[in-house]
Amino acid sequence: MAYLKLIELGTRSATEVRGDVARLGRSPDCTVVLAGAHVEVVSALHAELRHGPTGWQLKDLGSRNGTFLNGHRLEGDARLKAGDVIGLGESGPRFSVAAVADVLEATVPERPGLGASPPERHTPPEARAYGVTLLAALTGRRYEARGVRIRLGRGRECEVQPVGPTDTIVSRVHAELTVGSTGGLVIRDVGSTNGTFVNDEPVIEPVPIRLGDRIMLGKGGPVLIVEGIGTAPQLPGAPRRSHVGPKTLRAMIGAAIAKAKRRLAAWVALLVLFFGAGVYGVYWLVSGEVQETERERRTAGDSTRAETERLRQELAAARVAAAPAALVESLRVKLQAAEASTADLRATLARAQAALSSQLAAGEERRLAAQAEVQRLRDELAATERRAPSPATIDSLRRAVTAAEQQTQGLDAKLRAIRGSDFATIAQQSQGAVGLVTVSFGHDYYSGTAFAITGDGYLLTNWHVVTDSQRPRADTIWVTMADQAQARLADVVATSQQRDIAVLKVRGYQGPYLSAVDWTGTRARQGEPAALIGYPAGSGFARLRSAVVRTSMTAGIISRATEDVIQFDGMTIGGSSGSPLFNANGAVIAIHRAGLPQAPGFALSVPIKHVVPLLPTELKQRLGLR
């Protein structure tokens, strides 16, 4: 007879089903009739439990709210096992399947081959052995044990040990299952610390155990569900016979299992053989594919290498073919840059030559005027001699003629010296380092000249250009370099009122500078030609008809050269102060400081060597000075 035990989770009431069919619903015809709260979702005939060849099956009978198994709505039949939860509707009653069994007890031994029934054996109840299957509700683990006494606890001597040795709720030997006086299986507590409970009821005396019962070892301890119970009398062993003998159900099952094992082994061997053959066949096919793939890979690799080499050769040929074009383009760019530079040099040279030609023309006019004066004096002397003048008058005229002749000779020598010097080249190479200085004192503005001696903006000029005795400090100093439009601020580094020298530092300057400087004062000699580059007449003339400032050059002869002053007979006017004075070799020999408007050709300059004591130590080290 099939057996099924259900426990309603809400009320904890147990329902046992003995038979093959059971129905659940509100109808009185149902095996399990539901009433009370939450039954409004239950249909009259809601679900059916049916035992078949495969065990217990659950089926919905077309209920309005459906039947659920373990939270999933049934779509067809579903097999039941211990621990499953059956739900009638989403919010209806819930039943836990406490136990399922195909039969209530194991069969007793049979004696095949004997015509008569075996004599009845009287076995004392306490001598009967029980087999029990317990299901741990929390972990789902099953425990199977057999014997006349089955102990439950955490000790190793227990047949059922649901917890570890260190558990604090379960005692070492907590409870035991034994055979009761009526021959049934009972459980009793063996003096545990936290007690034993069956279906939440404490065990005071031995309590009979049935399928589906819940055994709890201590409050909060493990819960074991009785899933199976089997009993069999202990029979004395029968003498073994070769032709016939008693066989128990266990022996028959063992023989069947052994036979099944042999058959299974044969099938397994056959399957292994087929599997090995299949694997070998697959290996053979895969090996062929691998070899073919390897051949294709090698062929593709060879083709790729050949194509790469061909492209490399074509690239080399293209580079060779393109080399002349690239070279031509490079030369064309260089030619354009050279042409632009040549144009700038030509413009600069033209300006210098124009300035020099103007000075030469002025000198030529002075020379012709002197010659005319000499001729006039000669004519006057001859006329006087014809009139028989006094000896004093004749001597005076002779001295005047001699002086005029000497002046003419001096002008001729000066012009010859100037024409022999390459001042145009000096102007072209040096004028970029000469700047226009603009100084403000309140609302007053003054102009002068300065020139760079380093590429980072150290400039030299006159003390009186940037200050004077009444106003020792300028409000602002700007410097605009030649052929530039942008002015930069400058600061005074050092000054000497006695020598009329000032050292400036232009902020953020990176540009040309004069590297040929006569720091020792040995390159200025009397009678040699010299030239001065600056901004005569100040910014008004420097910016005349131009957006950038333009320098002017004057040339002449060094009239006198001493330790403290160099006299230059070239023309200078206001604005030339601070201009560099060059010798015929292009070296700076002095800083122009003053000239007499009423006496052209009387220009005074400070030898450049007097600047050295004013320079910062770091700058002197850079220039190699002491």
Side-chain angles (χ1 to χ4, degrees):
M1 179 184 296
Y3 176 82
L4 179 69
K5 183 174 182 179
L6 302 176
I7 297 178
E8 187 177 356
L9 298 181
T11 61
R12 307 303 300 177
S13 60
T15 301
E16 293 182 341
V17 177
R18 301 175 186 272
D20 294 333
V21 179
R23 290 186 175 89
L24 291 78
R26 291 187 289 105
S27 173
D29 297 332
C30 292
T31 309
V32 180
V33 180
L34 300 172
H38 305 294
V39 298
E40 63 273 6
V41 299
V42 180
S43 300
L45 296 175
H46 199 106
E48 180 182 80
L49 301 170
R50 181 177 294 274
H51 184 267
T54 59
W56 283 96
Q57 302 286 329
L58 174 64
K59 178 181 179 181
D60 185 78
L61 297 178
S63 64
R64 182 175 66 256
N65 295 307
T67 302
F68 293 80
L69 180 62
N70 298 326
H72 299 284
R73 185 164 184 164
L74 286 181
E75 299 296 338
D77 295 353
R79 185 178 179 183
L80 291 177
K81 61 182 182 298
D84 286 343
V85 176
I86 301 172
L88 305 181
E90 290 187 359
S91 59
R94 295 286 186 272
F95 295 89
S96 173
V97 180
V100 292
D102 294 334
V103 293
L104 283 178
E105 294 183 350
T107 58
V108 297
E110 59 181 15
R111 291 175 178 268
L114 297 180
S117 299
E120 184 178 359
R121 296 180 181 273
H122 298 282
T123 304
E126 62 273 9
R128 299 182 67 182
Y130 271 82
V132 64
T133 301
L134 302 177
L135 174 67
L138 182 62
T139 63
R141 181 178 177 182
R142 285 180 170 81
Y143 299 91
E144 295 183 352
R146 180 180 177 83
V148 296
R149 186 179 69 159
I150 301 173
R151 292 167 293 184
L152 292 76
R154 59 180 172 84
R156 296 185 181 275
E157 65 271 22
C158 296
E159 286 73 23
V160 177
Q161 186 181 353
V163 295
T166 59
D167 189 85
T168 58
I169 297 178
V170 180
S171 299
R172 185 177 184 85
V173 179
H174 198 104
E176 64 179 10
L177 298 171
T178 59
V179 180
S181 58
T182 61
L185 192 64
V186 298
I187 185 170
R188 68 184 185 89
D189 187 83
V190 292
S192 66
T193 303
N194 297 306
T196 304
F197 301 83
V198 175
N199 298 328
D200 297 331
E201 296 294 332
V203 176
I204 306 300
E205 296 179 351
V207 176
I209 293 299
R210 295 175 298 178
L211 288 174
D213 284 345
R214 294 165 52 87
I215 302 172
M216 183 167 63
L217 304 181
K219 279 290 186 180
V223 176
L224 303 174
I225 299 175
V226 181
E227 194 175 51
I229 300 176
T231 61
Q234 293 184 349
L235 301 176
R240 184 174 181 179
R241 297 181 182 179
S242 59
H243 61 282
V244 67
K247 286 188 178 181
T248 64
L249 179 61
R250 179 178 296 175
M252 294 175 64
I253 293 174
I257 291 175
K259 185 177 181 179
K261 286 182 178 179
R262 289 193 296 271
R263 290 182 178 178
L264 180 61
W267 278 106
V268 168
L270 186 61
L271 288 175
V272 169
L273 182 61
F274 277 109
F275 180 74
V279 169
Y280 178 76
V282 171
Y283 173 76
W284 181 77
L285 291 175
V286 171
S287 298
E289 292 291 337
V290 169
Q291 292 176 359
E292 182 65 23
T293 303
E294 181 64 20
R295 285 194 296 271
E296 292 178 357
R297 186 189 65 80
R298 290 178 180 175
T299 302
D302 294 340
S303 300
T304 302
R305 284 192 292 272
E307 181 66 14
T308 302
E309 184 61 27
R310 184 185 65 79
L311 292 176
R312 187 175 296 161
Q313 293 175 358
E314 290 183 359
L315 179 60
R319 286 176 176 172
V320 171
L327 181 59
V328 169
E329 179 63 20
S330 175
L331 293 176
R332 186 183 65 80
V333 172
K334 292 182 179 179
L335 179 59
Q336 290 178 349
E339 289 176 348
S341 177
T342 302
D344 292 340
L345 293 177
R346 284 176 178 173
T348 303
L349 183 59
R351 291 196 302 271
Q353 287 177 342
L356 184 59
S357 298
S358 176
Q359 293 185 53
L360 291 175
E364 184 66 20
E365 290 179 0
R366 292 173 60 188
R367 186 184 68 81
L368 293 176
Q371 287 181 349
E373 180 66 16
V374 170
Q375 186 61 40
R376 186 188 65 79
L377 291 175
R378 284 175 179 172
D379 293 341
E380 185 177 348
L381 177 60
T384 302
E385 288 178 345
R386 286 194 299 270
R387 291 194 300 269
S390 64
T393 302
I394 294 174
D395 291 339
S396 175
L397 289 174
R398 285 176 177 170
R399 287 194 298 272
V401 170
T402 301
E405 289 177 346
Q406 290 176 351
Q407 184 178 6
T408 301
Q409 292 174 359
L411 288 173
D412 288 339
K414 177 180 177 181
L415 290 175
R416 286 194 302 272
I418 292 174
R419 288 191 178 99
S421 300
D422 190 6
F423 287 128
T425 300
I426 295 174
Q428 183 268 326
Q429 293 177 348
S430 305
Q431 68 174 354
V434 181
L436 172 66
V437 180
T438 304
V439 182
S440 69
F441 293 96
H443 297 288
D444 298 328
Y445 293 87
Y446 301 93
S447 297
T449 304
F451 57 95
I453 58 173
T454 65
D456 57 352
Y458 280 99
L459 276 68
L460 302 181
T461 187
N462 293 132
W463 170 82
H464 74 266
V465 171
V466 296
T467 185
D468 57 32
S469 57
Q470 285 76 29
R471 292 173 290 192
R473 186 178 184 86
D475 295 333
T476 310
I477 302 174
W478 296 278
V479 177
T480 307
M481 304 307 291
D483 298 324
Q484 301 290 325
Q486 181 183 3
R488 295 179 180 273
L489 289 173
D491 302 301
V492 177
V493 177
T495 61
S496 173
Q497 182 178 359
Q498 179 184 1
R499 296 291 183 181
D500 198 12
I501 299 173
V503 181
L504 306 181
K505 182 68 166 64
V506 179
R507 301 178 189 177
Y509 179 81
Q510 293 292 329
Y513 64 98
L514 302 178
S515 58
V517 181
D518 181 22
W519 296 113
T520 60
T522 59
R523 301 184 188 179
R525 292 187 297 177
Q526 186 179 22
E528 289 188 347
L532 182 146
I533 299 178
Y535 298 93
S539 61
F541 185 72
R543 298 181 185 272
L544 183 63
R545 298 178 183 177
S546 176
V548 298
V549 297
R550 302 290 190 184
T551 60
S552 297
M553 171 181 273
T554 60
I557 299 296
I558 298 176
S559 304
R560 184 174 59 153
T562 67
E563 286 288 322
D564 298 323
V565 67
I566 294 178
Q567 181 180 340
F568 167 67
D569 66 353
M571 182 187 69
T572 62
I573 60 175
S576 298
S577 296
S579 299
L581 183 64
F582 299 89
N583 63 11
N585 296 322
V588 180
I589 58 175
I591 305 173
H592 175 66
R593 60 174 297 193
L596 297 178
Q598 67 275 20
F602 192 81
L604 303 179
S605 301
V606 182
I608 197 72
K609 67 178 183 178
H610 295 298
V611 174
V612 176
L614 301 178
L615 298 178
T617 303
E618 175 268 336
L619 181 56
K620 287 194 288 187
Q621 292 176 351
R622 285 166 51 189
L623 297 175
L625 304 176
R626 295 183 179 179

